[in-house]
Amino acid sequence: MKAALSRQGRYGEIAGNMRVKEVRISDIERFVICHNPEAATRDQHIREQLVSRLTILIEGTDKLGDFKRGELRGKIADKPGLNRYLRTTPAGKLRIDTAKIKAEENLDGKYLLRCSDPHLSAEDIALGSKQLLEVERGWRDMKQIVDLRPVYHRLEERMCAHVVLCWLALLLIRIIETTTDETWTTTRRELDRLHLDTFTGPTGLFRQVTTLTKPQTDLLAKLGIPAPKQIIALEPAPR
């Protein structure tokens, strides 16, 4: 793995958010390095936040006694995200591990695939792995979002109907995600902010929809759903 990741070479673009590079260590060892530029940016941002927080925590600790410094070291050890960027000098001083940061920078947005099939292309290996991740995500969504289980039905046809309805719900989620280029969580959060309010006054009763925000308007446009009228109905007051 270390030899594969350290090998130089040029990446090939296979998708908007994926680049691949094949590395052959021997006649039977095939590795494909996948690089996601968006994930690399996210990894860098998270690391910078952690290092900044750690820098603030250990600032001025050289003036502390050994006991107080050791106490702080123990607290940081309970936080894996911060602890991996911390090193202790032979004198017991707390320092930022720049070597660890540099090593992680070279791995931002990358993951390594290993394959024994000599006929598959690097692109097929990477896309096949990505499809497997989508299948696993689908099962997680079926369990957590669609609530496939528990099943309280007793008859077989009702169990089958329950599973089919859950599958249709997952299909609709994927259609919405691919159509809007947004996650289902984001789409649902935006559309859940739409409300229908009922008002009653001397002139009668009317129902009004909250004013659409720009994200809501964009989502409805991508889905081909016409924006709802602001006033749904108007009923005059009885005489």
Side-chain angles (χ1 to χ4, degrees), residues 45-58:
H45 177 67
I46 293 173
R47 183 175 57 254
E48 288 175 350
Q49 287 184 319
L50 291 172
V51 172
S52 176
R53 184 181 171 190
L54 180 61
T55 302
I56 295 173
L57 285 175
I58 67 174

Side-chain angles (χ1 to χ4, degrees), residues 173-216:
I173 288 175
R174 291 295 179 265
I175 291 174
I176 290 172
E177 289 181 335
T178 55
T179 304
T180 62
D181 291 327
E182 297 286 352
T183 64
W184 168 244
T185 303
T186 300
T187 303
R188 183 175 61 181
R189 182 176 64 248
E190 289 295 336
L191 297 183
D192 276 347
R193 294 172 179 170
L194 278 174
H195 299 285
L196 176 64
D197 298 316
T198 301
F199 300 92
T200 304
T203 58
L205 179 146
F206 71 95
R207 297 177 177 86
Q208 184 174 2
V209 177
T210 52
T211 304
L212 291 177
T213 63
K214 188 179 185 306
Q216 291 169 348

Side-chain angles (χ1 to χ4, degrees), residues 10 12 17 29 40 51 56 76 78-79 94 102 123 149 151 168 174 177 204 209 218-219 221:
R10 183 173 296 179
N17 62 344
E29 296 282 13
V51 172
I56 295 173
I76 296 175
D78 291 335
K79 300 177 173 60
L94 304 181
K102 183 64 177 177
E123 179 179 351
R149 298 180 66 180
V151 179
L168 288 174
R174 291 295 179 265
E177 289 181 335
V209 177
D218 294 340
L219 285 173

Side-chain angles (χ1 to χ4, degrees), residues 54 58 61-62 66 69-70 72-74 76-77 83-98:
L54 180 61
I58 67 174
T61 54
D62 291 354
D66 293 341
R69 194 162 50 238
L72 177 61
R73 178 69 181 87
I76 296 175
N83 187 56
R84 71 173 184 261
Y85 300 120
L86 180 67
R87 67 178 181 89
T88 305
T89 67
K93 304 294 180 64
L94 304 181
R95 296 290 184 268
I96 300 294
D97 193 342
T98 55

